[in-house]
Amino acid sequence: MRRRYSLVHLSDINCPPPDFIRAAAAAGYDAVSLRTIPMGLKGEKPHDIAADRDLFRETRRAVKETGIIINDTENARIFDGVDILSYEPALEAAAELGIHQILTNIWTDDRACYTEKFAELCDLAAQYEQTVNVEFVTWASVKNLEQVRELLEASGQKEAGVVLDFLHYYRSRVTLEEVRAMPPEKFRYVHLCDAEAEIPTDEASLIHTGRAERLYPGEGAIPMREVMEILPDALCGIEVPHLERVAELGLEEHARRALCSAKKYLEGV
């Protein structure tokens, strides 16, 4: 079975969704994973399709022109004081574009709170026929697969899924046995990327690689093949933010090289 590939927005996060979609299509991708739920991060341009209806219309036009599928959007983060209902306009706009997968991650250490808020988010998303998927992040509060498993069990959200980002898989030292222990259908999509073997010990360095210097699949030390053999049906999201390469090559060529590297690494083509 041919694997399906999606270009993940963090690969060039400041690129507007319509341009991002067209670049992905030109580079040979099947889908994109967008970030249309603003996170309020310093230096990151929001792509709020709920508030900016012109942007929404242009994004929808790009989808129709290219035939690209929008697999998912992010990031409905859970943090101290979050109002889950504030995400409703973003989820509604995403539903209008046919997006059925929503990504979240956890940024509060209050387990009771984040379990409750996660359940609220899942219930809200279900109203728009959407499923919520938890991405564990090495420098977040929920930072490994075991914590995600505990959250899914405690919340009782049987339809919720897991996003396995290989940078966090490697740097949070998740094991292959932990992946095997979860139902494979929980992993609807993954984030492929690579990195050097050394794992930084300080948060700033972890974040720098995560947002600005990921390698193409197969260029580094992250073991991905065995995991992907366990998850044959998972969509392969390619998430390779690398500021120097994007500046030098442009998004389309950067994305094309990343896709070629991923196919060579996973499929030998």
Side-chain angles (χ1 to χ4, degrees), residues 32 37 127 149 173 177 179 195 211 251:
V32 294
I37 305 174
Q127 296 178 31
R149 185 191 63 77
R173 296 176 171 84
E177 289 68 31
V179 177
R211 293 187 60 85
L251 173 59

Side-chain angles (χ1 to χ4, degrees), residues 155-217:
S155 67
Q157 297 296 319
K158 298 185 183 303
E159 299 302 316
V162 184
V163 178
L164 191 152
D165 181 310
F166 274 97
L167 185 68
H168 305 308
Y169 167 84
Y170 179 70
R171 290 187 164 182
S172 290
R173 296 176 171 84
V174 175
T175 67
L176 196 61
E177 289 68 31
E178 290 178 273
V179 177
R180 287 198 183 103
M182 293 197 71
E185 62 270 18
K186 288 292 185 185
F187 301 90
R188 297 179 178 92
Y189 55 104
V190 302
H191 288 169
L192 299 174
C193 66
D194 220 328
E196 301 294 343
E198 182 179 358
I199 299 176
T201 57
D202 64 290
E203 185 175 290
S205 296
L206 290 169
I207 294 173
H208 173 76
T209 306
R211 293 187 60 85
E213 205 170 5
R214 300 195 193 198
L215 302 178
Y216 299 149

